[in-house]
Amino acid sequence: MKLIVDASVALKWFLSDEPGAEQAVRILETEGELLAPEWIVPEVSNAVWKMIRSGRIGKGPGEEIVSRLPRFFSRLIPVVEESSQALAIALRIDHPIYDCYYLALAERENVPPVTADGRLVSCLTNTPWAHRVISLEQWGPMP
């Protein structure tokens, strides 16, 4: 099975105290390809930087997250390929374009994206993208 994983899920792979971390790790245990826009790396890195600054994690663990993250993906897709469609989606749903790259990639690859971003899931209600997105809470398989 192919899945597109967004930063809200990928970060949970490294933070066992996060709500939904166990479910996120189950994604890694499935057989299949994990895809993401290449920009997941700076997006997760920015979140790591914020956690280091706030004292939530140390510099060493933060550096480990940033260096290990790309290895979890079968492919990281250049964002330039999805820019026009991501902008169109962002304008349609009135949501930051960063998340819309995942939706644009999902359309192109015909692969569902998994997210732990409740705000994104909510804003997709009654849109053509609502059926494409899987909330981390709803993702299976269960143990």
Side-chain angles (χ1 to χ4, degrees), residues 15-87:
L15 304 171
S16 60
D17 62 335
E18 280 280 310
E22 286 182 38
Q23 192 71 347
V25 169
R26 286 191 194 110
I27 291 172
L28 293 174
E29 296 168 351
T30 62
E31 296 208 12
E33 291 184 72
L34 298 182
L35 310 174
E38 66 185 352
W39 125 325
I40 194 170
V41 176
E43 190 175 6
V44 168
S45 297
N46 190 64
V48 166
W49 168 74
K50 287 179 181 179
M51 287 187 284
I52 292 169
R53 286 189 68 213
S54 72
R56 180 165 177 212
I57 63 172
K59 182 181 173 198
E63 289 171 340
E64 184 177 340
I65 291 169
V66 170
S67 70
R68 289 182 56 209
L69 178 67
R71 296 183 222 157
F72 289 99
F73 293 95
S74 303
R75 283 190 299 150
L76 293 173
I77 313 300
V79 294
V80 70
E81 296 177 20
E82 307 309 324
S83 295
S84 294
Q85 183 60 9
L87 178 60

Side-chain angles (χ1 to χ4, degrees), residues 87-102:
L87 178 60
I89 294 169
L91 292 170
R92 172 104 185 259
I93 65 174
D94 193 28
H95 188 80
I97 195 168
Y98 307 105
D99 294 332
C100 297
Y101 276 92
Y102 297 98

